[in-house]
Amino acid sequence: MKKVWLSVAAMALLTPMVAETQTAQAASWHNGTPKAMRGKYQAKKHSAAQGFGDMYHITAKTYTYDASGMPQVKATKLRYKKISAHTWRLQGKVKTSAAVRFSKLDEKIYCKSKKFAATDYGSKFSKLSWATKVSKFK
């Protein structure tokens, strides 16, 4: 009978401890851009008709994307979350104009040493989305 009471008492003491465990958040949102991602990146030209390769300029508070023949996309009020090693999700607000119709930026970005790739969040990186770090744009 003592063993039954001891096991009931042990269960009563351990149950609140098990019930109160909390799960940790895998990643949290941070303001700005990660330091590892900052810099200037330029992709190669995809065709002879293209004037220059896609250009990315990332600072602590802005994300700028230029493509030949397209309007410049500049995002501010940035926040990021780490997805995996060298991969982040970047969100921000884009100022709309006559040429730019969307107002939100939601990108998946890979950056390791001099390699850089950016695509819409939820998409896979394609061959055309890769760029390298440069000191100035060509």
Side-chain angles (χ1 to χ4, degrees), residues 32-41 55-65 78 90 109 111 116-118 137:
T33 60
K35 289 182 182 178
M37 188 188 302
R38 296 177 192 165
K40 296 177 182 179
Y41 302 91
M55 298 186 304
Y56 304 88
H57 187 202
I58 302 167
T59 64
K61 297 184 179 190
T62 61
Y63 172 87
T64 308
Y65 169 71
L78 299 171
L90 184 68
I109 295 178
C111 186
F116 178 87
F137 296 121

mmCIF file with all atom_site columns, all heavy atoms in Angstrom, residues 32-41 55-65 78 90 109 111 116-118 137:
data_model
loop_
_atom_site.group_PDB
_atom_site.id
_atom_site.type_symbol
_atom_site.label_atom_id
_atom_site.label_alt_id
_atom_site.label_comp_id
_atom_site.label_asym_id
_atom_site.label_entity_id
_atom_site.label_seq_id
_atom_site.pdbx_PDB_ins_code
_atom_site.Cartn_x
_atom_site.Cartn_y
_atom_site.Cartn_z
_atom_site.occupancy
_atom_site.B_iso_or_equiv
_atom_site.pdbx_formal_charge
_atom_site.auth_seq_id
_atom_site.auth_comp_id
_atom_site.auth_asym_id
_atom_site.auth_atom_id
_atom_site.pdbx_PDB_model_num
ATOM 1   N N   . GLY A 1 32  ? 16.387 45.357 -39.533 1.00 0.00 ? 32  GLY A N   1
ATOM 2   C CA  . GLY A 1 32  ? 17.522 45.633 -40.410 1.00 0.00 ? 32  GLY A CA  1
ATOM 3   C C   . GLY A 1 32  ? 17.901 44.435 -41.254 1.00 0.00 ? 32  GLY A C   1
ATOM 4   O O   . GLY A 1 32  ? 17.060 43.629 -41.631 1.00 0.00 ? 32  GLY A O   1
ATOM 5   N N   . THR A 1 33  ? 19.203 44.333 -41.557 1.00 0.00 ? 33  THR A N   1
ATOM 6   C CA  . THR A 1 33  ? 19.729 43.210 -42.335 1.00 0.00 ? 33  THR A CA  1
ATOM 7   C C   . THR A 1 33  ? 20.895 42.599 -41.572 1.00 0.00 ? 33  THR A C   1
ATOM 8   O O   . THR A 1 33  ? 21.594 43.295 -40.833 1.00 0.00 ? 33  THR A O   1
ATOM 9   C CB  . THR A 1 33  ? 20.228 43.675 -43.721 1.00 0.00 ? 33  THR A CB  1
ATOM 10  O OG1 . THR A 1 33  ? 21.261 44.639 -43.539 1.00 0.00 ? 33  THR A OG1 1
ATOM 11  C CG2 . THR A 1 33  ? 19.114 44.237 -44.554 1.00 0.00 ? 33  THR A CG2 1
ATOM 12  N N   . PRO A 1 34  ? 21.160 41.307 -41.748 1.00 0.00 ? 34  PRO A N   1
ATOM 13  C CA  . PRO A 1 34  ? 22.313 40.710 -41.076 1.00 0.00 ? 34  PRO A CA  1
ATOM 14  C C   . PRO A 1 34  ? 23.626 41.235 -41.651 1.00 0.00 ? 34  PRO A C   1
ATOM 15  O O   . PRO A 1 34  ? 23.717 41.534 -42.841 1.00 0.00 ? 34  PRO A O   1
ATOM 16  C CB  . PRO A 1 34  ? 22.158 39.217 -41.336 1.00 0.00 ? 34  PRO A CB  1
ATOM 17  C CG  . PRO A 1 34  ? 21.135 39.076 -42.381 1.00 0.00 ? 34  PRO A CG  1
ATOM 18  C CD  . PRO A 1 34  ? 20.365 40.329 -42.475 1.00 0.00 ? 34  PRO A CD  1
ATOM 19  N N   . LYS A 1 35  ? 24.642 41.357 -40.810 1.00 0.00 ? 35  LYS A N   1
ATOM 20  C CA  . LYS A 1 35  ? 25.931 41.888 -41.263 1.00 0.00 ? 35  LYS A CA  1
ATOM 21  C C   . LYS A 1 35  ? 26.548 41.041 -42.361 1.00 0.00 ? 35  LYS A C   1
ATOM 22  O O   . LYS A 1 35  ? 27.205 41.554 -43.259 1.00 0.00 ? 35  LYS A O   1
ATOM 23  C CB  . LYS A 1 35  ? 26.896 41.993 -40.080 1.00 0.00 ? 35  LYS A CB  1
ATOM 24  C CG  . LYS A 1 35  ? 26.537 43.089 -39.118 1.00 0.00 ? 35  LYS A CG  1
ATOM 25  C CD  . LYS A 1 35  ? 27.544 43.186 -37.993 1.00 0.00 ? 35  LYS A CD  1
ATOM 26  C CE  . LYS A 1 35  ? 27.124 44.271 -37.019 1.00 0.00 ? 35  LYS A CE  1
ATOM 27  N NZ  . LYS A 1 35  ? 28.043 44.377 -35.891 1.00 0.00 ? 35  LYS A NZ  1
ATOM 28  N N   . ALA A 1 36  ? 26.343 39.740 -42.303 1.00 0.00 ? 36  ALA A N   1
ATOM 29  C CA  . ALA A 1 36  ? 26.930 38.844 -43.301 1.00 0.00 ? 36  ALA A CA  1
ATOM 30  C C   . ALA A 1 36  ? 26.381 39.095 -44.703 1.00 0.00 ? 36  ALA A C   1
ATOM 31  O O   . ALA A 1 36  ? 27.017 38.758 -45.694 1.00 0.00 ? 36  ALA A O   1
ATOM 32  C CB  . ALA A 1 36  ? 26.675 37.395 -42.906 1.00 0.00 ? 36  ALA A CB  1
ATOM 33  N N   . MET A 1 37  ? 25.213 39.695 -44.791 1.00 0.00 ? 37  MET A N   1
ATOM 34  C CA  . MET A 1 37  ? 24.544 39.897 -46.073 1.00 0.00 ? 37  MET A CA  1
ATOM 35  C C   . MET A 1 37  ? 24.880 41.254 -46.712 1.00 0.00 ? 37  MET A C   1
ATOM 36  O O   . MET A 1 37  ? 24.716 41.434 -47.909 1.00 0.00 ? 37  MET A O   1
ATOM 37  C CB  . MET A 1 37  ? 23.023 39.817 -45.829 1.00 0.00 ? 37  MET A CB  1
ATOM 38  C CG  . MET A 1 37  ? 22.175 39.817 -47.052 1.00 0.00 ? 37  MET A CG  1
ATOM 39  S SD  . MET A 1 37  ? 20.426 39.964 -46.675 1.00 0.00 ? 37  MET A SD  1
ATOM 40  C CE  . MET A 1 37  ? 20.145 38.584 -45.626 1.00 0.00 ? 37  MET A CE  1
ATOM 41  N N   . ARG A 1 38  ? 25.366 42.188 -45.960 1.00 0.00 ? 38  ARG A N   1
ATOM 42  C CA  . ARG A 1 38  ? 25.558 43.556 -46.454 1.00 0.00 ? 38  ARG A CA  1
ATOM 43  C C   . ARG A 1 38  ? 26.665 43.647 -47.493 1.00 0.00 ? 38  ARG A C   1
ATOM 44  O O   . ARG A 1 38  ? 27.670 42.968 -47.421 1.00 0.00 ? 38  ARG A O   1
ATOM 45  C CB  . ARG A 1 38  ? 25.869 44.485 -45.287 1.00 0.00 ? 38  ARG A CB  1
ATOM 46  C CG  . ARG A 1 38  ? 24.719 44.575 -44.319 1.00 0.00 ? 38  ARG A CG  1
ATOM 47  C CD  . ARG A 1 38  ? 25.033 45.418 -43.124 1.00 0.00 ? 38  ARG A CD  1
ATOM 48  N NE  . ARG A 1 38  ? 23.994 45.213 -42.111 1.00 0.00 ? 38  ARG A NE  1
ATOM 49  C CZ  . ARG A 1 38  ? 24.116 45.572 -40.855 1.00 0.00 ? 38  ARG A CZ  1
ATOM 50  N NH1 . ARG A 1 38  ? 25.218 46.166 -40.441 1.00 0.00 ? 38  ARG A NH1 1
ATOM 51  N NH2 . ARG A 1 38  ? 23.144 45.346 -40.008 1.00 0.00 ? 38  ARG A NH2 1
ATOM 52  N N   . GLY A 1 39  ? 26.432 44.496 -48.493 1.00 0.00 ? 39  GLY A N   1
ATOM 53  C CA  . GLY A 1 39  ? 27.426 44.708 -49.537 1.00 0.00 ? 39  GLY A CA  1
ATOM 54  C C   . GLY A 1 39  ? 26.787 44.891 -50.896 1.00 0.00 ? 39  GLY A C   1
ATOM 55  O O   . GLY A 1 39  ? 25.574 45.057 -51.020 1.00 0.00 ? 39  GLY A O   1
ATOM 56  N N   . LYS A 1 40  ? 27.626 44.869 -51.929 1.00 0.00 ? 40  LYS A N   1
ATOM 57  C CA  . LYS A 1 40  ? 27.175 45.002 -53.314 1.00 0.00 ? 40  LYS A CA  1
ATOM 58  C C   . LYS A 1 40  ? 27.399 43.679 -54.023 1.00 0.00 ? 40  LYS A C   1
ATOM 59  O O   . LYS A 1 40  ? 28.474 43.086 -53.916 1.00 0.00 ? 40  LYS A O   1
ATOM 60  C CB  . LYS A 1 40  ? 27.960 46.102 -54.026 1.00 0.00 ? 40  LYS A CB  1
ATOM 61  C CG  . LYS A 1 40  ? 27.733 47.479 -53.451 1.00 0.00 ? 40  LYS A CG  1
ATOM 62  C CD  . LYS A 1 40  ? 28.593 48.501 -54.159 1.00 0.00 ? 40  LYS A CD  1
ATOM 63  C CE  . LYS A 1 40  ? 28.393 49.872 -53.546 1.00 0.00 ? 40  LYS A CE  1
ATOM 64  N NZ  . LYS A 1 40  ? 29.229 50.883 -54.198 1.00 0.00 ? 40  LYS A NZ  1
ATOM 65  N N   . TYR A 1 41  ? 26.380 43.237 -54.754 1.00 0.00 ? 41  TYR A N   1
ATOM 66  C CA  . TYR A 1 41  ? 26.450 41.967 -55.478 1.00 0.00 ? 41  TYR A CA  1
ATOM 67  C C   . TYR A 1 41  ? 25.953 42.189 -56.897 1.00 0.00 ? 41  TYR A C   1
ATOM 68  O O   . TYR A 1 41  ? 25.011 42.948 -57.116 1.00 0.00 ? 41  TYR A O   1
ATOM 69  C CB  . TYR A 1 41  ? 25.586 40.912 -54.800 1.00 0.00 ? 41  TYR A CB  1
ATOM 70  C CG  . TYR A 1 41  ? 25.959 40.665 -53.357 1.00 0.00 ? 41  TYR A CG  1
ATOM 71  C CD1 . TYR A 1 41  ? 25.356 41.391 -52.340 1.00 0.00 ? 41  TYR A CD1 1
ATOM 72  C CD2 . TYR A 1 41  ? 26.918 39.717 -53.023 1.00 0.00 ? 41  TYR A CD2 1
ATOM 73  C CE1 . TYR A 1 41  ? 25.697 41.174 -51.017 1.00 0.00 ? 41  TYR A CE1 1
ATOM 74  C CE2 . TYR A 1 41  ? 27.259 39.490 -51.703 1.00 0.00 ? 41  TYR A CE2 1
ATOM 75  C CZ  . TYR A 1 41  ? 26.646 40.226 -50.708 1.00 0.00 ? 41  TYR A CZ  1
ATOM 76  O OH  . TYR A 1 41  ? 26.992 40.006 -49.397 1.00 0.00 ? 41  TYR A OH  1
ATOM 77  N N   . MET A 1 55  ? 21.749 43.745 -60.122 1.00 0.00 ? 55  MET A N   1
ATOM 78  C CA  . MET A 1 55  ? 22.573 44.336 -59.070 1.00 0.00 ? 55  MET A CA  1
ATOM 79  C C   . MET A 1 55  ? 21.780 44.404 -57.773 1.00 0.00 ? 55  MET A C   1
ATOM 80  O O   . MET A 1 55  ? 20.597 44.767 -57.769 1.00 0.00 ? 55  MET A O   1
ATOM 81  C CB  . MET A 1 55  ? 23.027 45.738 -59.475 1.00 0.00 ? 55  MET A CB  1
ATOM 82  C CG  . MET A 1 55  ? 23.895 45.765 -60.706 1.00 0.00 ? 55  MET A CG  1
ATOM 83  S SD  . MET A 1 55  ? 24.581 47.387 -61.118 1.00 0.00 ? 55  MET A SD  1
ATOM 84  C CE  . MET A 1 55  ? 23.147 48.415 -61.240 1.00 0.00 ? 55  MET A CE  1
ATOM 85  N N   . TYR A 1 56  ? 22.446 44.057 -56.683 1.00 0.00 ? 56  TYR A N   1
ATOM 86  C CA  . TYR A 1 56  ? 21.866 44.121 -55.351 1.00 0.00 ? 56  TYR A CA  1
ATOM 87  C C   . TYR A 1 56  ? 22.778 44.973 -54.482 1.00 0.00 ? 56  TYR A C   1
ATOM 88  O O   . TYR A 1 56  ? 23.993 44.767 -54.475 1.00 0.00 ? 56  TYR A O   1
ATOM 89  C CB  . TYR A 1 56  ? 21.769 42.727 -54.725 1.00 0.00 ? 56  TYR A CB  1
ATOM 90  C CG  . TYR A 1 56  ? 21.001 41.730 -55.536 1.00 0.00 ? 56  TYR A CG  1
ATOM 91  C CD1 . TYR A 1 56  ? 21.622 40.953 -56.510 1.00 0.00 ? 56  TYR A CD1 1
ATOM 92  C CD2 . TYR A 1 56  ? 19.645 41.536 -55.334 1.00 0.00 ? 56  TYR A CD2 1
ATOM 93  C CE1 . TYR A 1 56  ? 20.926 40.025 -57.250 1.00 0.00 ? 56  TYR A CE1 1
ATOM 94  C CE2 . TYR A 1 56  ? 18.932 40.607 -56.068 1.00 0.00 ? 56  TYR A CE2 1
ATOM 95  C CZ  . TYR A 1 56  ? 19.580 39.852 -57.027 1.00 0.00 ? 56  TYR A CZ  1
ATOM 96  O OH  . TYR A 1 56  ? 18.884 38.927 -57.754 1.00 0.00 ? 56  TYR A OH  1
ATOM 97  N N   . HIS A 1 57  ? 22.199 45.927 -53.768 1.00 0.00 ? 57  HIS A N   1
ATOM 98  C CA  . HIS A 1 57  ? 22.969 46.745 -52.825 1.00 0.00 ? 57  HIS A CA  1
ATOM 99  C C   . HIS A 1 57  ? 22.244 46.678 -51.484 1.00 0.00 ? 57  HIS A C   1
ATOM 100 O O   . HIS A 1 57  ? 21.115 47.160 -51.352 1.00 0.00 ? 57  HIS A O   1
ATOM 101 C CB  . HIS A 1 57  ? 23.084 48.176 -53.319 1.00 0.00 ? 57  HIS A CB  1
ATOM 102 C CG  . HIS A 1 57  ? 23.992 49.011 -52.486 1.00 0.00 ? 57  HIS A CG  1
ATOM 103 N ND1 . HIS A 1 57  ? 23.923 50.366 -52.452 1.00 0.00 ? 57  HIS A ND1 1
ATOM 104 C CD2 . HIS A 1 57  ? 25.000 48.687 -51.632 1.00 0.00 ? 57  HIS A CD2 1
ATOM 105 C CE1 . HIS A 1 57  ? 24.831 50.848 -51.630 1.00 0.00 ? 57  HIS A CE1 1
ATOM 106 N NE2 . HIS A 1 57  ? 25.501 49.831 -51.122 1.00 0.00 ? 57  HIS A NE2 1
ATOM 107 N N   . ILE A 1 58  ? 22.919 46.094 -50.500 1.00 0.00 ? 58  ILE A N   1
ATOM 108 C CA  . ILE A 1 58  ? 22.294 45.873 -49.201 1.00 0.00 ? 58  ILE A CA  1
ATOM 109 C C   . ILE A 1 58  ? 23.076 46.627 -48.134 1.00 0.00 ? 58  ILE A C   1
ATOM 110 O O   . ILE A 1 58  ? 24.285 46.440 -47.982 1.00 0.00 ? 58  ILE A O   1
ATOM 111 C CB  . ILE A 1 58  ? 22.254 44.368 -48.866 1.00 0.00 ? 58  ILE A CB  1
ATOM 112 C CG1 . ILE A 1 58  ? 21.489 43.630 -49.960 1.00 0.00 ? 58  ILE A CG1 1
ATOM 113 C CG2 . ILE A 1 58  ? 21.620 44.130 -47.507 1.00 0.00 ? 58  ILE A CG2 1
ATOM 114 C CD1 . ILE A 1 58  ? 21.627 42.151 -49.931 1.00 0.00 ? 58  ILE A CD1 1
ATOM 115 N N   . THR A 1 59  ? 22.370 47.496 -47.422 1.00 0.00 ? 59  THR A N   1
ATOM 116 C CA  . THR A 1 59  ? 22.950 48.215 -46.292 1.00 0.00 ? 59  THR A CA  1
ATOM 117 C C   . THR A 1 59  ? 22.217 47.779 -45.025 1.00 0.00 ? 59  THR A C   1
ATOM 118 O O   . THR A 1 59  ? 21.365 46.902 -45.071 1.00 0.00 ? 59  THR A O   1
ATOM 119 C CB  . THR A 1 59  ? 22.828 49.743 -46.470 1.00 0.00 ? 59  THR A CB  1
ATOM 120 O OG1 . THR A 1 59  ? 21.442 50.098 -46.470 1.00 0.00 ? 59  THR A OG1 1
ATOM 121 C CG2 . THR A 1 59  ? 23.463 50.199 -47.776 1.00 0.00 ? 59  THR A CG2 1
ATOM 122 N N   . ALA A 1 60  ? 22.536 48.416 -43.922 1.00 0.00 ? 60  ALA A N   1
ATOM 123 C CA  . ALA A 1 60  ? 21.909 48.046 -42.650 1.00 0.00 ? 60  ALA A CA  1
ATOM 124 C C   . ALA A 1 60  ? 20.401 48.278 -42.671 1.00 0.00 ? 60  ALA A C   1
ATOM 125 O O   . ALA A 1 60  ? 19.651 47.541 -42.028 1.00 0.00 ? 60  ALA A O   1
ATOM 126 C CB  . ALA A 1 60  ? 22.539 48.829 -41.506 1.00 0.00 ? 60  ALA A CB  1
ATOM 127 N N   . LYS A 1 61  ? 19.935 49.285 -43.422 1.00 0.00 ? 61  LYS A N   1
ATOM 128 C CA  . LYS A 1 61  ? 18.513 49.640 -43.398 1.00 0.00 ? 61  LYS A CA  1
ATOM 129 C C   . LYS A 1 61  ? 17.812 49.596 -44.748 1.00 0.00 ? 61  LYS A C   1
ATOM 130 O O   . LYS A 1 61  ? 16.613 49.843 -44.817 1.00 0.00 ? 61  LYS A O   1
ATOM 131 C CB  . LYS A 1 61  ? 18.341 51.027 -42.783 1.00 0.00 ? 61  LYS A CB  1
ATOM 132 C CG  . LYS A 1 61  ? 18.791 51.088 -41.339 1.00 0.00 ? 61  LYS A CG  1
ATOM 133 C CD  . LYS A 1 61  ? 18.529 52.434 -40.733 1.00 0.00 ? 61  LYS A CD  1
ATOM 134 C CE  . LYS A 1 61  ? 18.981 52.440 -39.288 1.00 0.00 ? 61  LYS A CE  1
ATOM 135 N NZ  . LYS A 1 61  ? 18.552 53.624 -38.584 1.00 0.00 ? 61  LYS A NZ  1
ATOM 136 N N   . THR A 1 62  ? 18.542 49.316 -45.844 1.00 0.00 ? 62  THR A N   1
ATOM 137 C CA  . THR A 1 62  ? 17.906 49.299 -47.164 1.00 0.00 ? 62  THR A CA  1
ATOM 138 C C   . THR A 1 62  ? 18.331 48.080 -47.971 1.00 0.00 ? 62  THR A C   1
ATOM 139 O O   . THR A 1 62  ? 19.416 47.536 -47.791 1.00 0.00 ? 62  THR A O   1
ATOM 140 C CB  . THR A 1 62  ? 18.260 50.555 -47.988 1.00 0.00 ? 62  THR A CB  1
ATOM 141 O OG1 . THR A 1 62  ? 19.666 50.585 -48.192 1.00 0.00 ? 62  THR A OG1 1
ATOM 142 C CG2 . THR A 1 62  ? 17.783 51.815 -47.315 1.00 0.00 ? 62  THR A CG2 1
ATOM 143 N N   . TYR A 1 63  ? 17.446 47.677 -48.880 1.00 0.00 ? 63  TYR A N   1
ATOM 144 C CA  . TYR A 1 63  ? 17.692 46.598 -49.839 1.00 0.00 ? 63  TYR A CA  1
ATOM 145 C C   . TYR A 1 63  ? 17.297 47.145 -51.204 1.00 0.00 ? 63  TYR A C   1
ATOM 146 O O   . TYR A 1 63  ? 16.145 47.492 -51.427 1.00 0.00 ? 63  TYR A O   1
ATOM 147 C CB  . TYR A 1 63  ? 16.844 45.378 -49.475 1.00 0.00 ? 63  TYR A CB  1
ATOM 148 C CG  . TYR A 1 63  ? 16.866 44.259 -50.488 1.00 0.00 ? 63  TYR A CG  1
ATOM 149 C CD1 . TYR A 1 63  ? 17.854 43.287 -50.449 1.00 0.00 ? 63  TYR A CD1 1
ATOM 150 C CD2 . TYR A 1 63  ? 15.900 44.161 -51.474 1.00 0.00 ? 63  TYR A CD2 1
ATOM 151 C CE1 . TYR A 1 63  ? 17.879 42.250 -51.371 1.00 0.00 ? 63  TYR A CE1 1
ATOM 152 C CE2 . TYR A 1 63  ? 15.909 43.128 -52.397 1.00 0.00 ? 63  TYR A CE2 1
ATOM 153 C CZ  . TYR A 1 63  ? 16.908 42.179 -52.331 1.00 0.00 ? 63  TYR A CZ  1
ATOM 154 O OH  . TYR A 1 63  ? 16.927 41.158 -53.240 1.00 0.00 ? 63  TYR A OH  1
ATOM 155 N N   . THR A 1 64  ? 18.273 47.260 -52.112 1.00 0.00 ? 64  THR A N   1
ATOM 156 C CA  . THR A 1 64  ? 18.020 47.821 -53.436 1.00 0.00 ? 64  THR A CA  1
ATOM 157 C C   . THR A 1 64  ? 18.335 46.771 -54.496 1.00 0.00 ? 64  THR A C   1
ATOM 158 O O   . THR A 1 64  ? 19.383 46.123 -54.446 1.00 0.00 ? 64  THR A O   1
ATOM 159 C CB  . THR A 1 64  ? 18.901 49.061 -53.677 1.00 0.00 ? 64  THR A CB  1
ATOM 160 O OG1 . THR A 1 64  ? 18.734 49.968 -52.586 1.00 0.00 ? 64  THR A OG1 1
ATOM 161 C CG2 . THR A 1 64  ? 18.525 49.755 -54.958 1.00 0.00 ? 64  THR A CG2 1
ATOM 162 N N   . TYR A 1 65  ? 17.408 46.626 -55.449 1.00 0.00 ? 65  TYR A N   1
ATOM 163 C CA  . TYR A 1 65  ? 17.568 45.666 -56.539 1.00 0.00 ? 65  TYR A CA  1
ATOM 164 C C   . TYR A 1 65  ? 17.383 46.398 -57.857 1.00 0.00 ? 65  TYR A C   1
ATOM 165 O O   . TYR A 1 65  ? 16.397 47.100 -58.063 1.00 0.00 ? 65  TYR A O   1
ATOM 166 C CB  . TYR A 1 65  ? 16.540 44.544 -56.406 1.00 0.00 ? 65  TYR A CB  1
ATOM 167 C CG  . TYR A 1 65  ? 16.449 43.639 -57.611 1.00 0.00 ? 65  TYR A CG  1
ATOM 168 C CD1 . TYR A 1 65  ? 17.476 42.760 -57.909 1.00 0.00 ? 65  TYR A CD1 1
ATOM 169 C CD2 . TYR A 1 65  ? 15.350 43.676 -58.444 1.00 0.00 ? 65  TYR A CD2 1
ATOM 170 C CE1 . TYR A 1 65  ? 17.397 41.931 -59.015 1.00 0.00 ? 65  TYR A CE1 1
ATOM 171 C CE2 . TYR A 1 65  ? 15.257 42.842 -59.549 1.00 0.00 ? 65  TYR A CE2 1
ATOM 172 C CZ  . TYR A 1 65  ? 16.290 41.970 -59.828 1.00 0.00 ? 65  TYR A CZ  1
ATOM 173 O OH  . TYR A 1 65  ? 16.216 41.160 -60.918 1.00 0.00 ? 65  TYR A OH  1
ATOM 174 N N   . LEU A 1 78  ? 13.122 47.112 -42.958 1.00 0.00 ? 78  LEU A N   1
ATOM 175 C CA  . LEU A 1 78  ? 13.449 45.697 -43.142 1.00 0.00 ? 78  LEU A CA  1
ATOM 176 C C   . LEU A 1 78  ? 13.468 44.931 -41.828 1.00 0.00 ? 78  LEU A C   1
ATOM 177 O O   . LEU A 1 78  ? 13.751 45.495 -40.769 1.00 0.00 ? 78  LEU A O   1
ATOM 178 C CB  . LEU A 1 78  ? 14.819 45.562 -43.800 1.00 0.00 ? 78  LEU A CB  1
ATOM 179 C CG  . LEU A 1 78  ? 14.956 46.189 -45.175 1.00 0.00 ? 78  LEU A CG  1
ATOM 180 C CD1 . LEU A 1 78  ? 16.408 46.178 -45.615 1.00 0.00 ? 78  LEU A CD1 1
ATOM 181 C CD2 . LEU A 1 78  ? 14.102 45.455 -46.175 1.00 0.00 ? 78  LEU A CD2 1
ATOM 182 N N   . LEU A 1 90  ? 13.922 37.765 -45.683 1.00 0.00 ? 90  LEU A N   1
ATOM 183 C CA  . LEU A 1 90  ? 13.974 39.218 -45.552 1.00 0.00 ? 90  LEU A CA  1
ATOM 184 C C   . LEU A 1 90  ? 12.637 39.805 -45.980 1.00 0.00 ? 90  LEU A C   1
ATOM 185 O O   . LEU A 1 90  ? 12.136 39.499 -47.065 1.00 0.00 ? 90  LEU A O   1
ATOM 186 C CB  . LEU A 1 90  ? 15.103 39.777 -46.432 1.00 0.00 ? 90  LEU A CB  1
ATOM 187 C CG  . LEU A 1 90  ? 15.367 41.266 -46.361 1.00 0.00 ? 90  LEU A CG  1
ATOM 188 C CD1 . LEU A 1 90  ? 15.922 41.640 -44.985 1.00 0.00 ? 90  LEU A CD1 1
ATOM 189 C CD2 . LEU A 1 90  ? 16.355 41.676 -47.432 1.00 0.00 ? 90  LEU A CD2 1
ATOM 190 N N   . ILE A 1 109 ? 17.014 34.726 -49.030 1.00 0.00 ? 109 ILE A N   1
ATOM 191 C CA  . ILE A 1 109 ? 18.338 35.142 -49.464 1.00 0.00 ? 109 ILE A CA  1
ATOM 192 C C   . ILE A 1 109 ? 19.395 34.183 -48.922 1.00 0.00 ? 109 ILE A C   1
ATOM 193 O O   . ILE A 1 109 ? 19.381 33.842 -47.743 1.00 0.00 ? 109 ILE A O   1
ATOM 194 C CB  . ILE A 1 109 ? 18.635 36.583 -49.010 1.00 0.00 ? 109 ILE A CB  1
ATOM 195 C CG1 . ILE A 1 109 ? 17.676 37.527 -49.721 1.00 0.00 ? 109 ILE A CG1 1
ATOM 196 C CG2 . ILE A 1 109 ? 20.086 36.952 -49.272 1.00 0.00 ? 109 ILE A CG2 1
ATOM 197 C CD1 . ILE A 1 109 ? 17.809 38.957 -49.355 1.00 0.00 ? 109 ILE A CD1 1
ATOM 198 N N   . CYS A 1 111 ? 23.543 33.795 -48.585 1.00 0.00 ? 111 CYS A N   1
ATOM 199 C CA  . CYS A 1 111 ? 24.772 34.576 -48.677 1.00 0.00 ? 111 CYS A CA  1
ATOM 200 C C   . CYS A 1 111 ? 25.868 33.861 -47.889 1.00 0.00 ? 111 CYS A C   1
ATOM 201 O O   . CYS A 1 111 ? 25.756 33.689 -46.685 1.00 0.00 ? 111 CYS A O   1
ATOM 202 C CB  . CYS A 1 111 ? 24.539 35.974 -48.119 1.00 0.00 ? 111 CYS A CB  1
ATOM 203 S SG  . CYS A 1 111 ? 25.939 37.057 -48.345 1.00 0.00 ? 111 CYS A SG  1
ATOM 204 N N   . PHE A 1 116 ? 25.998 34.920 -53.507 1.00 0.00 ? 116 PHE A N   1
ATOM 205 C CA  . PHE A 1 116 ? 24.741 35.549 -53.108 1.00 0.00 ? 116 PHE A CA  1
ATOM 206 C C   . PHE A 1 116 ? 23.636 35.087 -54.045 1.00 0.00 ? 116 PHE A C   1
ATOM 207 O O   . PHE A 1 116 ? 23.846 34.948 -55.242 1.00 0.00 ? 116 PHE A O   1
ATOM 208 C CB  . PHE A 1 116 ? 24.881 37.075 -53.201 1.00 0.00 ? 116 PHE A CB  1
ATOM 209 C CG  . PHE A 1 116 ? 23.645 37.833 -52.850 1.00 0.00 ? 116 PHE A CG  1
ATOM 210 C CD1 . PHE A 1 116 ? 23.364 38.170 -51.546 1.00 0.00 ? 116 PHE A CD1 1
ATOM 211 C CD2 . PHE A 1 116 ? 22.737 38.214 -53.836 1.00 0.00 ? 116 PHE A CD2 1
ATOM 212 C CE1 . PHE A 1 116 ? 22.221 38.871 -51.231 1.00 0.00 ? 116 PHE A CE1 1
ATOM 213 C CE2 . PHE A 1 116 ? 21.595 38.913 -53.523 1.00 0.00 ? 116 PHE A CE2 1
ATOM 214 C CZ  . PHE A 1 116 ? 21.335 39.244 -52.214 1.00 0.00 ? 116 PHE A CZ  1
ATOM 215 N N   . ALA A 1 117 ? 22.471 34.832 -53.475 1.00 0.00 ? 117 ALA A N   1
ATOM 216 C CA  . ALA A 1 117 ? 21.305 34.490 -54.288 1.00 0.00 ? 117 ALA A CA  1
ATOM 217 C C   . ALA A 1 117 ? 20.063 35.023 -53.600 1.00 0.00 ? 117 ALA A C   1
ATOM 218 O O   . ALA A 1 117 ? 19.970 35.016 -52.370 1.00 0.00 ? 117 ALA A O   1
ATOM 219 C CB  . ALA A 1 117 ? 21.184 32.992 -54.479 1.00 0.00 ? 117 ALA A CB  1
ATOM 220 N N   . ALA A 1 118 ? 19.105 35.497 -54.379 1.00 0.00 ? 118 ALA A N   1
ATOM 221 C CA  . ALA A 1 118 ? 17.853 36.017 -53.844 1.00 0.00 ? 118 ALA A CA  1
ATOM 222 C C   . ALA A 1 118 ? 16.706 35.554 -54.732 1.00 0.00 ? 118 ALA A C   1
ATOM 223 O O   . ALA A 1 118 ? 16.830 35.521 -55.952 1.00 0.00 ? 118 ALA A O   1
ATOM 224 C CB  . ALA A 1 118 ? 17.879 37.542 -53.788 1.00 0.00 ? 118 ALA A CB  1
ATOM 225 N N   . PHE A 1 137 ? 29.906 48.487 -58.988 1.00 0.00 ? 137 PHE A N   1
ATOM 226 C CA  . PHE A 1 137 ? 29.114 47.940 -60.078 1.00 0.00 ? 137 PHE A CA  1
ATOM 227 C C   . PHE A 1 137 ? 29.746 48.258 -61.413 1.00 0.00 ? 137 PHE A C   1
ATOM 228 O O   . PHE A 1 137 ? 30.314 49.325 -61.617 1.00 0.00 ? 137 PHE A O   1
ATOM 229 C CB  . PHE A 1 137 ? 27.680 48.484 -60.044 1.00 0.00 ? 137 PHE A CB  1
ATOM 230 C CG  . PHE A 1 137 ? 26.924 48.070 -58.816 1.00 0.00 ? 137 PHE A CG  1
ATOM 231 C CD1 . PHE A 1 137 ? 26.403 49.013 -57.959 1.00 0.00 ? 137 PHE A CD1 1
ATOM 232 C CD2 . PHE A 1 137 ? 26.713 46.726 -58.527 1.00 0.00 ? 137 PHE A CD2 1
ATOM 233 C CE1 . PHE A 1 137 ? 25.690 48.637 -56.844 1.00 0.00 ? 137 PHE A CE1 1
ATOM 234 C CE2 . PHE A 1 137 ? 26.015 46.344 -57.410 1.00 0.00 ? 137 PHE A CE2 1
ATOM 235 C CZ  . PHE A 1 137 ? 25.495 47.287 -56.563 1.00 0.00 ? 137 PHE A CZ  1
#
